[in-house]
Amino acid sequence: MKKPILLAHRGFSGNYPENSPIAFQMAVEKTAADGFESDVHITKDGKLIIFHDATLERTSNGTGYIKDHTYEELLALDIGAWKSPEFAGQHIWTFDELLDFCDQTHMLLNMELKNYEVFYEGLEQRVIDAICAHKMQDRVFVSSFNHISMQNFKNLCPDIKTGLLYDKPYLEIGEYIKRSNADNMHPRYMLLQYQPELVDLYHSRGMGVNTWTVNDEENMRDMIARGVDCIISNYPDLLCKVADEMCD
């Protein structure tokens, strides 16, 4: 059975504070994951930073929108203590820092462009410029729930693979993707169970199937058996164990 690409969702976010340096470091040290999934925003002063939500409250000691804060203001925040006091002192990384870490550790990166709660002007080109500056076009692929953004991204840079994130069933998805230039589809895993024909449909169009966020063994086994190309999980240690047991 084919072994899919195995990615740590926001780093090893099941056991460590998501999108923190320690979450990425522990995914490397404690699992056999192939890479990471993460998220990028733009600060008030134009820096690309790694964070999931458009606002700060859930996973930091800050408040408000990322777009309204400078990088220095965000760097001063604690993004670890919300998970556990033992993680106090973790700080936000820039996109460049995460790219450097991926380069040093030979990890792949799926970068989600978070441009649908806040529409960041120029985010696509900024991300392209950073990836190209690090010469990592073959090690980074991008995705977004904003499919217009992904269309624009691919037009700007055909060399970097793109993916369409979605978490609800589409009417006539086969017709929908005919209008897209994306390389991959990124459905939430239960959509592949609801519509079992989707994996074959996407593969027949030459598209990869990258699914998320698969956190329990039963669904990990199911996704591998369905032949998906990439699985993203908060628990990359368990995911790697299951994949090793099932795949050649």
Side-chain angles (χ1 to χ4, degrees), residues 41-47 49 66-67 69-71 74:
H41 295 262
I42 303 180
T43 67
K44 183 178 181 180
D45 52 344
K47 295 281 189 180
I49 61 102
I66 287 171
K67 69 180 180 66
H69 292 270
T70 66
Y71 168 64
L74 295 170

Side-chain angles (χ1 to χ4, degrees), residues 10-230:
R10 308 176 200 169
F12 195 161
S13 60
N15 291 0
Y16 302 91
E18 64 182 59
N19 281 327
S20 67
I22 195 172
F24 296 118
Q25 291 159 2
M26 292 300 102
V28 173
E29 292 182 19
K30 296 192 173 186
T31 84
D34 299 302
F36 313 115
E37 186 275 349
S38 191
D39 316 276
V40 64
H41 295 262
I42 303 180
T43 67
K44 183 178 181 180
D45 52 344
K47 295 281 189 180
L48 297 178
I49 61 102
I50 300 303
F51 204 79
H52 181 267
D53 297 2
T55 55
L56 296 163
E57 287 81 357
R58 184 176 65 85
T59 59
S60 84
N61 59 341
T63 59
Y65 282 88
I66 287 171
K67 69 180 180 66
D68 295 328
H69 292 270
T70 66
Y71 168 64
E72 290 299 325
E73 291 170 341
L74 295 170
L75 188 60
L77 299 179
D78 186 309
I79 65 166
W82 68 272
K83 183 81 168 178
S84 169
E86 67 182 295
F87 302 127
Q90 290 292 305
H91 61 85
I92 286 173
W93 264 359
T94 64
F95 185 32
D96 282 326
E97 286 176 308
L98 180 55
L99 287 171
D100 282 337
F101 184 72
C102 289
D103 192 27
Q104 294 160 11
T105 55
H106 309 290
M107 299 291 267
L108 302 174
L109 179 61
N110 171 204
M111 180 54 59
E112 181 184 343
L113 277 62
K114 305 295 290 192
N115 54 352
Y116 49 90
E117 293 175 277
V118 174
F119 298 108
Y120 295 107
E121 184 177 355
L123 177 60
E124 296 87 357
Q125 190 63 60
R126 295 287 305 279
V127 169
I128 290 166
D129 291 344
I131 295 169
C132 292
H134 288 261
K135 297 181 171 60
M136 292 182 65
Q137 296 94 314
D138 61 340
R139 301 245 307 278
V140 180
F141 56 102
V142 300
S143 57
S144 183
F145 285 97
N146 182 339
H147 297 179
I148 295 172
S149 174
M150 290 295 92
Q151 195 85 352
N152 294 339
F153 191 106
K154 194 67 179 178
N155 288 334
L156 289 167
C157 185
D159 294 338
I160 299 173
K161 290 186 176 180
T162 60
L164 306 183
L165 276 161
Y166 72 108
D167 62 357
K168 303 292 189 300
Y170 275 72
L171 184 65
E172 297 183 348
I173 187 69
E175 293 300 312
Y176 181 78
I177 61 176
K178 284 181 181 178
R179 304 194 298 273
S180 171
N181 57 12
D183 302 283
N184 302 313
M185 295 300 290
H186 288 236
R188 196 172 183 182
Y189 74 89
M190 62 275 292
L191 299 182
L192 302 178
Q193 297 166 336
Y194 181 67
Q195 294 179 283
E197 70 277 9
L198 288 179
V199 174
D200 286 343
L201 170 65
Y202 297 147
H203 283 166
S204 74
R205 303 289 178 87
M207 305 177 85
V209 182
N210 306 329
T211 193
W212 53 278
T213 304
V214 191
N215 290 333
D216 65 276
E217 183 171 345
E218 180 181 357
N219 286 307
M220 290 173 183
R221 291 185 177 278
D222 183 44
M223 290 300 106
I224 292 170
R226 290 177 190 274
V228 302
D229 300 284
C230 174

